[in-house]
């Protein structure tokens, strides 16, 4: 496919964050020993006990911009964060803080040291987000005795070296594979694209703890499950979430067809499924999380069987971007789901109340057989004019809402 300059310029989405540069910041180290490690002319590290009062005055904590390159955002009141907050309020422990706290790591484009001060320019915290947020939230309790061991590293925050520093310094218990993909170019591009096309409605969360405001959040972990069921057509594997950001990451997110429109399409269908599973008579089967992804897989097969509905798979933007088109799509999906749930109830009822639904929904052969039976039955009824195709359902809804 030939793509010209105009199309490239108007459709290109940046795979990088737009982060404003920070103002220079100076930290007082008078009276304290400082450790310095020089790698070469452009890279070095300085470790020093820095006043917590000076750390919480750094630019970008309140709006979280200073953590742009950290693998996670603030995680709220976790057990560890509660312990940190508790130790901050106990002023008799402030002098002991460097003995039990691991410290924070700051990467800056420029790190300069004098006898009494360290000055950094264009700086970001790549390790210590939870601690710094706890300090910021409890700064009324901070005294001059509370110092944090801080490692200042001179390196470009966007360089491969900075990425390696971030990864290795965060390689500890409690950090998930998902966290290490929070600075991945594919994930950033998708976040930027959703912000660009759906910024008033949806927020694509690629970093745990990100502030989404009042927008509807779609996490990249759930999005990976959507794509696993809808695109890769393997709903029986969606419980293995660790694969999403490890060996399956490129297969799931790295394909040209994976765009903001595709993710919103899958999300819209999944929300309709969540409303419809209430009609499944087997309550345990209805509540099991893999059921939703199984039905998403069934819908994909139905779209593939219908000639007109293939356009939904190939060009989701035509059905999702425009609010009227999206609402029409949602109404049509609701009617399609009524038929699917009816067939699903008939099949599940034959298995009895106590059948092993967990095992069945993780069984590739069982899932394929049942999904294909439901999709084939629907196709036969459509070709015999006993049911309306999804394309007709959608066009009727669109016509009704457009009048």
């Amino acid at each position: 496919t030939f793509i010209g300059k105009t199309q490239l310029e108007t459709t290109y989405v940046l795979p990088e964050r737009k982060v404003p540069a920070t103002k220079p910041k100076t930290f007082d180290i008078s009276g304290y020993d400082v450790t310095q490690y020089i790698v070469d002319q452009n890279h070095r590290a300085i470790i020093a006990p820095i006043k917590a009062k000076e750390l919480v005055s750094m630019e970008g904590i309140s709006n979280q911009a200073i953590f742009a390159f950290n693998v996670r955002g603030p995680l709220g009141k976790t057990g560890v964060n509660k312990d940190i907050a508790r130790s901050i309020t106990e002023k008799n422990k402030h002098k002991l803080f460097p003995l039990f706290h691991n410290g924070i790591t700051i990467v800056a484009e420029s790190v300069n040291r004098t006898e009494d001060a360290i000055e950094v320019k264009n700086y970001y915290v790549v390790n210590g987000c939870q601690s710094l947020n706890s300090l910021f939230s409890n700064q009324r309790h901070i005294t001059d005795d509370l110092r944090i061991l801080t490692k200042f590293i001179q390196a470009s925050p966007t360089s491969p070296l900075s990425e390696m520093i971030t990864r290795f310094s965060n390689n500890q218990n409690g950090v998930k594979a998902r966290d290490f993909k929070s600075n991945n170019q594919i994930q950033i591009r998708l976040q930027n694209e959703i912000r660009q096309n759906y910024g008033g409605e949806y927020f694509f969360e690629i970093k745990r703890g990100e502030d989404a405001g009042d927008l509807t959040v779609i996490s990249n972990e759930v999005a990976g499950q959507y794509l696993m069921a809808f695109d890769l057509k393997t709903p029986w594997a969606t419980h293995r979430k660790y694969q999403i950001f490890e060996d399956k990451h490129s297969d799931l997110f790295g394909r040209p067809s994976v765009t903001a429109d595709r993710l919103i399409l899958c999300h819209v269908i999944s929300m309709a499924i969540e409303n419809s599973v209430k009609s499944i008579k087997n309550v345990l089967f209805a509540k099991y999380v893999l059921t939703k992804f199984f039905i998403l897989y069934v819908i994909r097969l139905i779209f593939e069987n219908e000639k007109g509905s293939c356009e939904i798979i190939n060009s989701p933007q035509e059905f999702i971007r425009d609010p009227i088109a999206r609402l029409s799509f949602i109404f049509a999906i609701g009617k399609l789901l009524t038929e699917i749930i009816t067939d699903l109830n008939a099949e599940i009822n034959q298995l009895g109340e106590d059948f092993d639904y967990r095992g069945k929904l993780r069984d590739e052969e069982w899932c394929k057989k049942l999904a294909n039976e439901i999709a084939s039955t629907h196709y036969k009824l459509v070709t015999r004019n006993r049911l309306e195709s999804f394309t007709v359902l959608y066009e009727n809804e669109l016509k009704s809402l457009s009048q």
Side-chain angles (χ1 to χ4, degrees):
T1 303
F2 177 79
I3 298 195
K5 177 184 176 183
T6 301
Q7 186 176 348
L8 282 172
E9 289 179 341
T10 55
T11 60
Y12 181 69
V13 180
L14 283 172
E16 57 191 40
R17 293 186 177 92
K18 293 181 179 179
V19 183
T22 53
K23 297 176 182 176
K25 174 69 178 175
T26 301
F27 300 92
D28 178 27
I29 55 171
S30 55
Y32 286 87
D33 291 331
V34 172
T35 299
Q36 180 171 245
Y37 177 73
I38 298 174
V39 179
D40 54 38
Q41 185 177 358
N42 299 315
H43 304 94
R44 60 189 176 128
I46 296 175
I47 302 175
I50 302 298
K51 281 185 179 181
K53 284 184 178 180
E54 294 182 344
L55 289 170
V56 297
S57 68
M58 288 190 296
E59 182 183 357
I61 300 177
S62 59
N63 64 6
Q64 300 296 294
I66 195 173
F67 307 112
F69 298 99
N70 199 75
V71 298
R72 294 178 294 190
L75 299 180
K77 295 181 179 180
T78 63
V80 173
N81 289 349
K82 287 179 181 177
D83 288 341
I84 295 173
R86 192 179 302 113
S87 61
I88 294 170
T89 60
E90 297 174 358
K91 296 182 180 181
N92 62 322
K93 292 183 179 178
H94 285 189
K95 276 194 174 182
L96 303 175
F97 220 79
L99 303 182
F100 56 77
H101 189 271
N102 291 332
I104 68 173
T105 302
I106 296 174
V107 172
E109 286 190 350
S110 172
V111 178
N112 294 308
R113 173 199 170 190
T114 64
E115 185 176 344
D116 296 323
I118 295 174
E119 184 188 68
V120 294
K121 296 178 181 178
N122 203 16
Y123 55 88
Y124 300 92
V125 173
V126 299
N127 187 293
C129 172
Q130 311 309 316
S131 298
L132 197 50
N133 273 290
S134 293
L135 287 164
F136 187 78
S137 299
N138 295 278
Q139 55 186 294
R140 67 186 183 278
H141 299 295
I142 295 176
T143 66
D144 286 339
D145 288 334
L146 206 167
R147 288 179 176 264
I148 307 292
L149 282 176
T150 305
K151 183 193 294 182
F152 300 94
I153 299 175
Q154 181 172 291
S156 170
T158 59
S159 67
L161 175 61
S162 178
E163 183 180 347
M164 183 178 72
I165 292 166
T166 303
R167 182 178 181 86
F168 288 176
S169 62
N170 282 282
N171 195 5
Q172 56 193 348
N173 291 332
V175 181
K176 298 182 178 181
R178 177 191 176 195
D179 298 326
F180 290 124
K181 284 291 190 288
S182 63
N183 291 321
N184 180 272
Q185 287 188 326
I186 295 173
Q187 295 294 325
I188 295 172
R189 179 187 63 79
L190 287 170
Q191 186 180 64
N192 288 342
E193 190 178 355
I194 285 181
R195 184 182 291 116
Q196 179 178 303
N197 295 321
Y198 302 93
E201 301 173 81
Y202 297 100
F203 179 80
F204 188 53
E205 183 194 72
I206 64 176
K207 181 189 298 185
R208 286 190 291 159
E210 282 187 293
D211 182 12
D214 297 326
L215 302 179
T216 298
V217 175
I218 304 174
S219 78
N220 57 352
E221 185 172 69
V222 172
Q225 290 177 295
Y226 290 161
L227 296 172
M228 198 178 286
F230 191 77
D231 277 9
L232 301 193
K233 296 185 282 187
T234 57
W236 51 85
T238 50
H239 64 288
R240 297 196 287 267
K241 293 189 284 187
Y242 64 90
Q243 293 184 335
I244 294 170
F245 301 102
E246 292 181 357
D247 52 318
K248 293 285 185 184
H249 184 261
S250 294
D251 292 338
L252 289 168
F253 294 102
R255 294 169 291 115
S257 61
V258 179
T259 61
D261 302 303
R262 193 167 207 79
L263 297 183
I264 301 300
L265 174 82
C266 290
H267 179 74
V268 164
I269 297 173
S270 294
M271 292 303 98
I273 292 172
E274 283 196 7
N275 290 328
S276 296
V277 292
K278 300 170 186 175
S279 301
I280 296 177
K281 294 178 181 178
N282 187 309
V283 178
L284 294 177
F285 182 83
K287 290 182 177 180
Y288 192 47
V289 65
L290 264 65
T291 299
K292 178 176 73 174
F293 299 116
F294 171 77
I295 296 173
L296 183 58
Y297 168 53
V298 172
I299 290 175
R300 169 64 187 246
L301 296 180
I302 289 174
F303 286 168
E304 289 179 349
N305 285 341
E306 292 184 11
K307 186 177 180 181
S309 297
C310 286
E311 195 62 25
I312 299 167
I313 300 169
N314 299 327
S315 303
Q317 68 275 9
E318 301 297 329
F319 302 83
I320 295 299
R321 282 201 197 178
D322 179 74
I324 298 297
R326 191 189 315 162
L327 193 57
S328 303
F329 183 81
I330 291 170
F331 288 159
I333 282 289
K335 291 182 177 179
L336 176 61
L337 281 166
T338 300
E339 301 297 329
I340 292 173
I341 300 299
T342 299
D343 290 344
L344 190 56
N345 275 329
E347 295 290 340
I348 298 301
N349 287 345
Q350 298 177 36
L351 301 174
E353 286 290 326
D354 58 348
F355 86 104
D356 181 17
Y357 60 90
R358 287 188 178 91
K360 292 296 186 184
L361 285 167
R362 297 182 185 192
D363 185 330
E364 177 179 349
E365 186 177 344
W366 186 84
C367 287
K368 281 184 175 179
K369 182 180 178 182
L370 181 56
N372 279 287
E373 284 178 0
I374 294 173
S376 297
T377 299
H378 183 270
Y379 178 72
K380 289 175 185 177
L381 292 174
V382 168
T383 55
R384 292 169 184 169
N385 295 320
R386 294 175 62 183
L387 277 180
E388 291 179 324
S389 68
F390 182 79
T391 305
V392 172
L393 289 174
Y394 170 74
E395 289 175 349
N396 288 341
E397 294 293 342
L398 186 61
K399 188 182 297 182
S400 175
L401 288 173
S402 300
Q403 290 177 350

